[in-house]
Amino acid sequence: MDYYNPSEFKKLVHARRSVRKYTSEKIPDHVVHECLDMALLAPNSSNLQQWEFYRITTPAIKEQIAFACFSQSAAKTASELIVCVARRDTWREHSKQMLAEFKKLPVETPKVALTYYGKLVPFVYTVGWFNVLTPFKWLLNTILGLFKVVPREPISSFGLKVWAAKSVALACENLMLAFRAHGYDTCPMEGFDSKRVKSILGLPCKADIVMIISAGKRDEGGVYGPRMRFPREQFIKTV
């Protein structure tokens, strides 16, 4: 099978738009599940898979989430609402899970991989209660950085939040492109009351909502205008 078709991928990327209004057409369950599976195939930091996706199917909860999104039409008219969450507190559990998965492989796992998940991951991502280890890690990185290349981030809970959010954002793009490939549209929403949404879903404090993605069949007027991008020279640099 030929997986290399840049022209088709270009069409898909150009076809994806943020849609603010959907028709009443529902997205079949199997399509939603397939799109979510595509999201889970996104690249992520150290394969620690620090994401969770909450598909809102209960009408009452969906109404609450839409209200927490300031009742914007992209949320109210959507067939699907998916809350995309970054977990900065699951790395320890998932690193142990990786070690367990290695044991199931038919080939011997390289020692460097076992050392990475068994020793390096706990060192890199542990920040301590109330970031008590942050100043010590900063000092260590600063001194060692004078003589060698060192990982500078994350060294705090804020750094872990950014670290986890980057992987979730990659998965979100997979999710939106997957919906577009099936003929449906999406809107990645940042306009929401995060505290209210976390309360509705019962999320812990170390779970951070990266975005809420609505999905459905594009309605007339659902796209507000032509895509606008600034000159590419403003952003793409050659050094």
Side-chain angles (χ1 to χ4, degrees):
M1 182 180 294
D2 184 7
Y3 295 102
Y4 308 106
N5 196 326
S7 62
E8 289 303 314
F9 179 71
K10 185 176 181 180
K11 290 178 185 177
L12 180 63
V13 172
H14 278 280
R16 189 218 58 80
R17 297 295 306 275
S18 293
V19 171
R20 312 289 176 169
K21 184 181 179 183
Y22 305 97
T23 69
S24 59
E25 180 179 334
K26 300 299 181 184
I27 303 177
D29 279 348
H30 75 275
V31 171
V32 178
H33 287 301
E34 183 174 325
C35 292
L36 287 168
D37 287 340
M38 294 301 99
L40 296 179
L41 292 178
N44 61 97
S45 180
S46 297
N47 201 37
L48 290 173
Q49 303 171 55
Q50 56 275 33
W51 46 43
E52 289 178 343
F53 298 91
Y54 290 81
R55 181 192 178 195
I56 311 302
T57 59
T58 304
I61 297 179
K62 189 176 181 181
E63 185 176 344
Q64 293 178 60
I65 297 293
F67 177 75
C69 292
F70 305 104
S71 299
Q72 55 184 293
S73 59
K76 287 197 307 179
T77 65
S79 170
E80 296 285 337
L81 286 177
I82 300 171
V83 181
C84 308
V85 177
R87 295 295 300 260
R88 47 192 158 103
D89 58 342
T90 58
W91 62 262
R92 193 184 304 274
E93 174 190 349
H94 289 183
S95 62
K96 293 178 180 178
Q97 193 171 349
M98 282 295 296
L99 291 171
E101 291 297 319
F102 285 147
K103 294 180 180 179
K104 302 176 185 178
L105 296 177
V107 296
E108 184 178 358
T109 302
K111 186 177 179 180
V112 64
L114 297 175
T115 301
Y116 181 81
Y117 287 102
K119 296 181 179 180
L120 188 58
V121 165
F123 173 77
V124 171
Y125 299 121
T126 297
V127 298
W129 289 98
F130 299 104
N131 295 299
V132 67
L133 297 178
T134 296
F136 300 102
K137 296 183 77 170
W138 176 85
L139 182 61
L140 177 64
N141 285 348
T142 300
I143 295 174
L144 292 179
L146 296 174
F147 310 100
K148 58 189 298 185
V149 176
V150 296
R152 307 281 179 164
E153 297 89 14
I155 62 171
S156 66
S157 57
F158 176 77
L160 285 174
K161 182 176 182 179
V162 174
W163 164 77
K166 287 189 288 185
S167 290
V168 175
L170 291 171
C172 289
E173 182 70 3
N174 269 24
L175 181 62
M176 290 186 286
L177 289 177
F179 272 118
R180 183 61 261 178
H182 280 281
Y184 296 98
D185 289 287
T186 56
C187 183
M189 295 180 288
E190 291 186 293
F192 53 83
D193 185 328
S194 59
K195 185 174 182 179
R196 188 181 296 269
V197 175
K198 289 178 71 170
S199 177
I200 293 170
L201 298 180
L203 297 177
C205 62
K206 292 183 179 180
D208 304 297
I209 302 172
V210 177
M211 66 185 78
I212 298 176
I213 295 178
S214 65
K217 179 65 73 171
R218 183 185 310 190
D219 196 4
E220 184 178 354
V223 177
Y224 285 173
R227 176 181 274 126
M228 299 178 64
R229 290 294 186 271
F230 302 138
R232 72 190 305 272
E233 294 78 11
Q234 188 172 335
F235 308 105
I236 300 176
K237 312 296 180 182
T238 301
V239 296

